[in-house]
Amino acid sequence: MRIPSTQALRALDSFARHGSVWRAADELHLTRSAVSHQLRLLERDLGFDLLQRIGKGVALTPRGQRYAADVRKALTVLGDAGAQNSGAGVGGSFGISCPPGFASMFLCTHIGEFQQMYPDVALSVLTPRRLDDVSNPEADAFIAFGVGNWPNRAVELLCEVSFTPLCSPTLLNKIGGFSKPADVLRANLLHLSDTEDWARWLALSKVENPDTEGGIFFSDMNLVFSAAIAGQGIALGDELTGRRALSEGRLVKPFEATVPSPRAYFLVFEHAKAGHPVLNAFSEWLRAKLSESRL
């Protein structure tokens, strides 16, 4: 069996991830014509079409997509084998996708420590459009916030989350304090995407017939916290991502009552990446930092 050239396989992998010849050429430091030539040679060696013309552009055929997915797994195995046997320790590039709120309020406040421990790792932190999105081909692993249902992926629980009302001292003084849970309705409720979390907290606190439809809606937890810190309303947050603002006095916790979230933070990655040296190192370090935060 003739094995195609590694350069041709890398050209296919890059084209599959980026969807264009010029982006693949930029990543591989080749000319566009060189990438196109590698793809044509690969088609000749394989004996079937990898590309099809769509309008003025080109895209992978269904068979080409399946083959590219297998090539990606094979290249990952080869890369991991080289890293594990190089004798140079943990190193190489590694992309981690992480929700913006978790990234800015927890991960990015500690990430320098990981870099000091593993100076040969070129770490990239990416943010997804949705909290549970694990589709970015540029990411080697994902910190995702969801219910744990990601088919055909390895899924490991990182930490569960409980929400409690958080607001600025300024707002608390302006309102005159909160003596009972229903008093939160005197302020703007700050929502992350929908009213589900506030509805659950108010129900748990036995507030009758609350109107949770009002308030302000945000698509990002960073925005929720920013509005709360600025005294624009009261947020439901978790003490993991809100720990720094709480410790610095920018936010206060008017009630002890918390409501467990049906969602949690998970580490998600392709099964083929299990055992990846950088993934293992990052996972161990992250779990240690999360454990410290709970002390």
Side-chain angles (χ1 to χ4, degrees):
M1 180 185 298
R2 180 181 178 185
I3 299 176
S5 75
T6 303
Q7 187 172 20
L9 294 176
R10 291 181 64 227
L12 174 63
D13 174 60
S14 186
F15 177 82
R17 287 185 286 105
H18 294 294
S20 71
V21 170
W22 71 268
R23 287 182 177 174
D26 184 60
E27 179 180 75
L28 299 173
H29 304 292
L30 298 173
T31 64
R32 299 182 193 181
S33 60
V35 171
S36 297
H37 180 66
Q38 290 294 332
L39 294 175
R40 287 195 298 270
L41 289 179
L42 185 57
E43 284 185 318
R44 186 193 66 186
D45 287 346
L46 295 173
F48 60 82
D49 292 335
L50 294 169
L51 306 175
Q52 58 186 339
R53 183 163 295 279
I54 299 179
K56 296 182 179 180
V58 292
L60 290 174
T61 64
R63 190 172 183 180
Q65 291 175 357
R66 294 192 297 271
Y67 184 74
D70 289 337
V71 167
R72 178 66 173 168
K73 294 176 183 177
L75 291 175
T76 298
V77 171
L78 290 173
D80 291 350
Q84 291 171 352
N85 294 283
S86 65
V90 177
S93 60
F94 189 78
I96 181 74
S97 174
C98 180
F102 186 97
S104 64
M105 290 180 278
F106 181 80
L107 182 62
C108 290
T109 63
H110 301 290
I111 198 64
E113 177 185 302
F114 178 82
Q115 194 68 62
Q116 288 181 339
M117 294 172 62
Y118 301 98
D120 294 329
V121 174
L123 187 67
S124 300
V125 179
L126 316 169
T127 54
R129 293 182 178 180
R130 300 189 322 274
L131 301 180
D132 62 351
D133 184 16
V134 296
S135 63
N136 189 345
E138 298 298 317
D140 295 290
F142 303 82
I143 298 171
F145 189 63
V147 297
N149 182 27
W150 290 279
N152 303 317
R153 301 284 183 115
V155 180
E156 299 178 1
L157 177 66
L158 289 175
C159 65
E160 296 176 327
V161 171
S162 291
F163 291 123
T164 191
L166 302 175
C167 68
S168 71
T170 302
L171 178 68
L172 193 64
N173 293 332
K174 180 180 178 180
I175 288 180
F178 298 107
S179 60
K180 58 184 183 299
D183 288 345
V184 300
L185 299 174
R186 292 159 51 199
N188 283 325
L189 298 184
L190 306 179
H191 303 281
L192 177 62
S193 301
D194 57 44
T195 64
E196 177 186 343
D197 293 327
W198 266 118
R200 294 177 66 248
W201 187 87
L202 290 165
L204 182 71
S205 301
K206 297 181 170 52
V207 177
E208 296 183 1
N209 302 315
D211 179 12
T212 59
E213 296 302 319
I216 308 171
F217 293 79
F218 300 90
S219 62
D220 188 312
M221 198 63 195
N222 281 318
L223 303 179
V224 175
F225 273 98
S226 293
I229 290 170
Q232 304 305 299
I234 184 165
L236 266 187
D238 64 272
E239 293 190 48
L240 174 66
T241 56
R243 182 174 299 275
R244 171 165 287 192
L246 285 166
S247 66
E248 294 174 350
R250 292 179 293 151
L251 289 176
V252 295
K253 186 171 64 169
F255 300 100
E256 291 299 323
T258 63
V259 58
S261 172
R263 295 171 291 178
Y265 288 106
F266 294 87
L267 184 65
V268 184
F269 52 91
E270 295 179 358
H271 290 288
K273 293 187 181 294
H276 189 294
V278 182
L279 175 59
N280 289 343
F282 181 81
S283 175
E284 291 177 8
W285 169 82
L286 180 60
R287 291 180 187 282
K289 299 308 296 183
L290 290 170
S291 295
E292 289 177 15
S293 72
R294 289 191 285 268
L295 296 179

PDB file of all heavy atoms in Angstrom, residues 230-252:
ATOM      1  N   ALA A 230     -21.362  47.897  37.955  1.00  0.00           N
ATOM      2  CA  ALA A 230     -21.681  49.303  37.710  1.00  0.00           C
ATOM      3  C   ALA A 230     -22.989  49.728  38.374  1.00  0.00           C
ATOM      4  O   ALA A 230     -23.420  50.872  38.203  1.00  0.00           O
ATOM      5  CB  ALA A 230     -21.747  49.564  36.206  1.00  0.00           C
ATOM      6  N   GLY A 231     -23.632  48.815  39.119  1.00  0.00           N
ATOM      7  CA  GLY A 231     -24.851  49.170  39.832  1.00  0.00           C
ATOM      8  C   GLY A 231     -26.097  49.234  38.976  1.00  0.00           C
ATOM      9  O   GLY A 231     -27.091  49.863  39.358  1.00  0.00           O
ATOM     10  N   GLN A 232     -26.069  48.561  37.821  1.00  0.00           N
ATOM     11  CA  GLN A 232     -27.212  48.620  36.908  1.00  0.00           C
ATOM     12  C   GLN A 232     -28.290  47.595  37.215  1.00  0.00           C
ATOM     13  O   GLN A 232     -29.349  47.606  36.594  1.00  0.00           O
ATOM     14  CB  GLN A 232     -26.725  48.430  35.467  1.00  0.00           C
ATOM     15  CG  GLN A 232     -25.666  49.429  35.038  1.00  0.00           C
ATOM     16  CD  GLN A 232     -26.130  50.857  35.242  1.00  0.00           C
ATOM     17  OE1 GLN A 232     -27.121  51.282  34.648  1.00  0.00           O
ATOM     18  NE2 GLN A 232     -25.427  51.594  36.091  1.00  0.00           N
ATOM     19  N   GLY A 233     -28.039  46.704  38.129  1.00  0.00           N
ATOM     20  CA  GLY A 233     -29.018  45.688  38.489  1.00  0.00           C
ATOM     21  C   GLY A 233     -28.373  44.616  39.333  1.00  0.00           C
ATOM     22  O   GLY A 233     -27.223  44.750  39.774  1.00  0.00           O
ATOM     23  N   ILE A 234     -29.099  43.528  39.545  1.00  0.00           N
ATOM     24  CA  ILE A 234     -28.610  42.426  40.362  1.00  0.00           C
ATOM     25  C   ILE A 234     -28.486  41.184  39.497  1.00  0.00           C
ATOM     26  O   ILE A 234     -29.381  40.861  38.707  1.00  0.00           O
ATOM     27  CB  ILE A 234     -29.532  42.181  41.581  1.00  0.00           C
ATOM     28  CG1 ILE A 234     -28.967  41.090  42.489  1.00  0.00           C
ATOM     29  CG2 ILE A 234     -30.961  41.890  41.160  1.00  0.00           C
ATOM     30  CD1 ILE A 234     -29.620  41.050  43.854  1.00  0.00           C
ATOM     31  N   ALA A 235     -27.373  40.514  39.617  1.00  0.00           N
ATOM     32  CA  ALA A 235     -27.073  39.360  38.768  1.00  0.00           C
ATOM     33  C   ALA A 235     -27.169  38.073  39.554  1.00  0.00           C
ATOM     34  O   ALA A 235     -27.083  38.066  40.783  1.00  0.00           O
ATOM     35  CB  ALA A 235     -25.669  39.489  38.179  1.00  0.00           C
ATOM     36  N   LEU A 236     -27.335  36.991  38.837  1.00  0.00           N
ATOM     37  CA  LEU A 236     -27.160  35.663  39.415  1.00  0.00           C
ATOM     38  C   LEU A 236     -25.803  35.168  38.948  1.00  0.00           C
ATOM     39  O   LEU A 236     -25.567  35.028  37.747  1.00  0.00           O
ATOM     40  CB  LEU A 236     -28.250  34.694  38.945  1.00  0.00           C
ATOM     41  CG  LEU A 236     -29.479  34.519  39.827  1.00  0.00           C
ATOM     42  CD1 LEU A 236     -30.344  33.404  39.278  1.00  0.00           C
ATOM     43  CD2 LEU A 236     -29.127  34.225  41.280  1.00  0.00           C
ATOM     44  N   GLY A 237     -24.915  34.957  39.881  1.00  0.00           N
ATOM     45  CA  GLY A 237     -23.586  34.505  39.508  1.00  0.00           C
ATOM     46  C   GLY A 237     -23.111  33.381  40.389  1.00  0.00           C
ATOM     47  O   GLY A 237     -23.720  33.086  41.427  1.00  0.00           O
ATOM     48  N   ASP A 238     -22.038  32.759  39.984  1.00  0.00           N
ATOM     49  CA  ASP A 238     -21.441  31.709  40.809  1.00  0.00           C
ATOM     50  C   ASP A 238     -20.186  32.265  41.466  1.00  0.00           C
ATOM     51  O   ASP A 238     -19.555  33.191  40.958  1.00  0.00           O
ATOM     52  CB  ASP A 238     -21.111  30.468  39.974  1.00  0.00           C
ATOM     53  CG  ASP A 238     -20.059  30.754  38.918  1.00  0.00           C
ATOM     54  OD1 ASP A 238     -20.432  31.171  37.797  1.00  0.00           O
ATOM     55  OD2 ASP A 238     -18.870  30.581  39.218  1.00  0.00           O
ATOM     56  N   GLU A 239     -19.843  31.706  42.594  1.00  0.00           N
ATOM     57  CA  GLU A 239     -18.719  32.237  43.360  1.00  0.00           C
ATOM     58  C   GLU A 239     -17.368  31.888  42.741  1.00  0.00           C
ATOM     59  O   GLU A 239     -16.346  32.438  43.135  1.00  0.00           O
ATOM     60  CB  GLU A 239     -18.798  31.749  44.810  1.00  0.00           C
ATOM     61  CG  GLU A 239     -19.988  32.319  45.561  1.00  0.00           C
ATOM     62  CD  GLU A 239     -19.928  32.027  47.051  1.00  0.00           C
ATOM     63  OE1 GLU A 239     -18.873  32.252  47.670  1.00  0.00           O
ATOM     64  OE2 GLU A 239     -20.950  31.556  47.587  1.00  0.00           O
ATOM     65  N   LEU A 240     -17.355  30.967  41.769  1.00  0.00           N
ATOM     66  CA  LEU A 240     -16.107  30.650  41.083  1.00  0.00           C
ATOM     67  C   LEU A 240     -15.687  31.819  40.198  1.00  0.00           C
ATOM     68  O   LEU A 240     -14.586  32.355  40.345  1.00  0.00           O
ATOM     69  CB  LEU A 240     -16.267  29.380  40.241  1.00  0.00           C
ATOM     70  CG  LEU A 240     -15.073  29.015  39.367  1.00  0.00           C
ATOM     71  CD1 LEU A 240     -13.875  28.640  40.237  1.00  0.00           C
ATOM     72  CD2 LEU A 240     -15.427  27.879  38.414  1.00  0.00           C
ATOM     73  N   THR A 241     -16.556  32.228  39.280  1.00  0.00           N
ATOM     74  CA  THR A 241     -16.208  33.325  38.374  1.00  0.00           C
ATOM     75  C   THR A 241     -16.348  34.685  39.056  1.00  0.00           C
ATOM     76  O   THR A 241     -15.732  35.657  38.620  1.00  0.00           O
ATOM     77  CB  THR A 241     -17.073  33.283  37.107  1.00  0.00           C
ATOM     78  OG1 THR A 241     -18.464  33.299  37.477  1.00  0.00           O
ATOM     79  CG2 THR A 241     -16.796  32.033  36.293  1.00  0.00           C
ATOM     80  N   GLY A 242     -17.139  34.772  40.125  1.00  0.00           N
ATOM     81  CA  GLY A 242     -17.308  36.042  40.812  1.00  0.00           C
ATOM     82  C   GLY A 242     -16.388  36.235  41.999  1.00  0.00           C
ATOM     83  O   GLY A 242     -16.465  37.266  42.690  1.00  0.00           O
ATOM     84  N   ARG A 243     -15.484  35.279  42.241  1.00  0.00           N
ATOM     85  CA  ARG A 243     -14.658  35.305  43.452  1.00  0.00           C
ATOM     86  C   ARG A 243     -13.818  36.575  43.566  1.00  0.00           C
ATOM     87  O   ARG A 243     -13.751  37.201  44.628  1.00  0.00           O
ATOM     88  CB  ARG A 243     -13.741  34.078  43.474  1.00  0.00           C
ATOM     89  CG  ARG A 243     -12.869  33.992  44.726  1.00  0.00           C
ATOM     90  CD  ARG A 243     -12.102  32.696  44.753  1.00  0.00           C
ATOM     91  NE  ARG A 243     -12.999  31.553  44.779  1.00  0.00           N
ATOM     92  CZ  ARG A 243     -13.542  31.045  45.874  1.00  0.00           C
ATOM     93  NH1 ARG A 243     -13.293  31.609  47.045  1.00  0.00           N
ATOM     94  NH2 ARG A 243     -14.332  30.000  45.815  1.00  0.00           N
ATOM     95  N   ARG A 244     -13.162  36.985  42.485  1.00  0.00           N
ATOM     96  CA  ARG A 244     -12.291  38.155  42.574  1.00  0.00           C
ATOM     97  C   ARG A 244     -13.102  39.419  42.872  1.00  0.00           C
ATOM     98  O   ARG A 244     -12.705  40.228  43.730  1.00  0.00           O
ATOM     99  CB  ARG A 244     -11.501  38.324  41.283  1.00  0.00           C
ATOM    100  CG  ARG A 244     -10.736  39.647  41.225  1.00  0.00           C
ATOM    101  CD  ARG A 244      -9.692  39.662  40.138  1.00  0.00           C
ATOM    102  NE  ARG A 244      -8.557  38.827  40.499  1.00  0.00           N
ATOM    103  CZ  ARG A 244      -7.394  38.838  39.837  1.00  0.00           C
ATOM    104  NH1 ARG A 244      -7.238  39.634  38.794  1.00  0.00           N
ATOM    105  NH2 ARG A 244      -6.398  38.053  40.205  1.00  0.00           N
ATOM    106  N   ALA A 245     -14.226  39.604  42.175  1.00  0.00           N
ATOM    107  CA  ALA A 245     -15.051  40.795  42.410  1.00  0.00           C
ATOM    108  C   ALA A 245     -15.595  40.803  43.829  1.00  0.00           C
ATOM    109  O   ALA A 245     -15.713  41.864  44.457  1.00  0.00           O
ATOM    110  CB  ALA A 245     -16.190  40.852  41.391  1.00  0.00           C
ATOM    111  N   LEU A 246     -15.911  39.630  44.363  1.00  0.00           N
ATOM    112  CA  LEU A 246     -16.399  39.540  45.742  1.00  0.00           C
ATOM    113  C   LEU A 246     -15.281  39.867  46.731  1.00  0.00           C
ATOM    114  O   LEU A 246     -15.477  40.607  47.697  1.00  0.00           O
ATOM    115  CB  LEU A 246     -16.962  38.144  46.009  1.00  0.00           C
ATOM    116  CG  LEU A 246     -18.332  37.831  45.401  1.00  0.00           C
ATOM    117  CD1 LEU A 246     -18.594  36.329  45.441  1.00  0.00           C
ATOM    118  CD2 LEU A 246     -19.438  38.566  46.142  1.00  0.00           C
ATOM    119  N   SER A 247     -14.090  39.309  46.494  1.00  0.00           N
ATOM    120  CA  SER A 247     -12.978  39.533  47.422  1.00  0.00           C
ATOM    121  C   SER A 247     -12.522  40.986  47.406  1.00  0.00           C
ATOM    122  O   SER A 247     -12.022  41.504  48.415  1.00  0.00           O
ATOM    123  CB  SER A 247     -11.808  38.606  47.080  1.00  0.00           C
ATOM    124  OG  SER A 247     -11.253  38.937  45.814  1.00  0.00           O
ATOM    125  N   GLU A 248     -12.695  41.673  46.280  1.00  0.00           N
ATOM    126  CA  GLU A 248     -12.283  43.068  46.170  1.00  0.00           C
ATOM    127  C   GLU A 248     -13.385  44.029  46.590  1.00  0.00           C
ATOM    128  O   GLU A 248     -13.179  45.243  46.595  1.00  0.00           O
ATOM    129  CB  GLU A 248     -11.857  43.366  44.728  1.00  0.00           C
ATOM    130  CG  GLU A 248     -10.592  42.609  44.306  1.00  0.00           C
ATOM    131  CD  GLU A 248     -10.267  42.793  42.839  1.00  0.00           C
ATOM    132  OE1 GLU A 248     -11.119  43.349  42.099  1.00  0.00           O
ATOM    133  OE2 GLU A 248      -9.159  42.384  42.432  1.00  0.00           O
ATOM    134  N   GLY A 249     -14.563  43.488  46.924  1.00  0.00           N
ATOM    135  CA  GLY A 249     -15.656  44.331  47.386  1.00  0.00           C
ATOM    136  C   GLY A 249     -16.433  45.021  46.289  1.00  0.00           C
ATOM    137  O   GLY A 249     -17.299  45.860  46.564  1.00  0.00           O
ATOM    138  N   ARG A 250     -16.169  44.658  45.028  1.00  0.00           N
ATOM    139  CA  ARG A 250     -16.928  45.263  43.929  1.00  0.00           C
ATOM    140  C   ARG A 250     -18.316  44.662  43.817  1.00  0.00           C
ATOM    141  O   ARG A 250     -19.232  45.274  43.266  1.00  0.00           O
ATOM    142  CB  ARG A 250     -16.162  45.104  42.610  1.00  0.00           C
ATOM    143  CG  ARG A 250     -14.883  45.927  42.553  1.00  0.00           C
ATOM    144  CD  ARG A 250     -14.158  45.725  41.245  1.00  0.00           C
ATOM    145  NE  ARG A 250     -13.653  44.366  41.119  1.00  0.00           N
ATOM    146  CZ  ARG A 250     -13.494  43.732  39.961  1.00  0.00           C
ATOM    147  NH1 ARG A 250     -13.854  44.312  38.827  1.00  0.00           N
ATOM    148  NH2 ARG A 250     -12.999  42.502  39.937  1.00  0.00           N
ATOM    149  N   LEU A 251     -18.466  43.447  44.317  1.00  0.00           N
ATOM    150  CA  LEU A 251     -19.763  42.785  44.394  1.00  0.00           C
ATOM    151  C   LEU A 251     -19.957  42.266  45.808  1.00  0.00           C
ATOM    152  O   LEU A 251     -18.991  41.939  46.505  1.00  0.00           O
ATOM    153  CB  LEU A 251     -19.853  41.612  43.401  1.00  0.00           C
ATOM    154  CG  LEU A 251     -19.929  41.947  41.910  1.00  0.00           C
ATOM    155  CD1 LEU A 251     -19.908  40.661  41.079  1.00  0.00           C
ATOM    156  CD2 LEU A 251     -21.171  42.764  41.584  1.00  0.00           C
ATOM    157  N   VAL A 252     -21.210  42.189  46.221  1.00  0.00           N
ATOM    158  CA  VAL A 252     -21.559  41.618  47.520  1.00  0.00           C
ATOM    159  C   VAL A 252     -22.651  40.583  47.319  1.00  0.00           C
ATOM    160  O   VAL A 252     -23.353  40.578  46.303  1.00  0.00           O
ATOM    161  CB  VAL A 252     -22.045  42.695  48.516  1.00  0.00           C
ATOM    162  CG1 VAL A 252     -20.924  43.660  48.850  1.00  0.00           C
ATOM    163  CG2 VAL A 252     -23.247  43.458  47.949  1.00  0.00           C
TER     164      VAL A 252
END
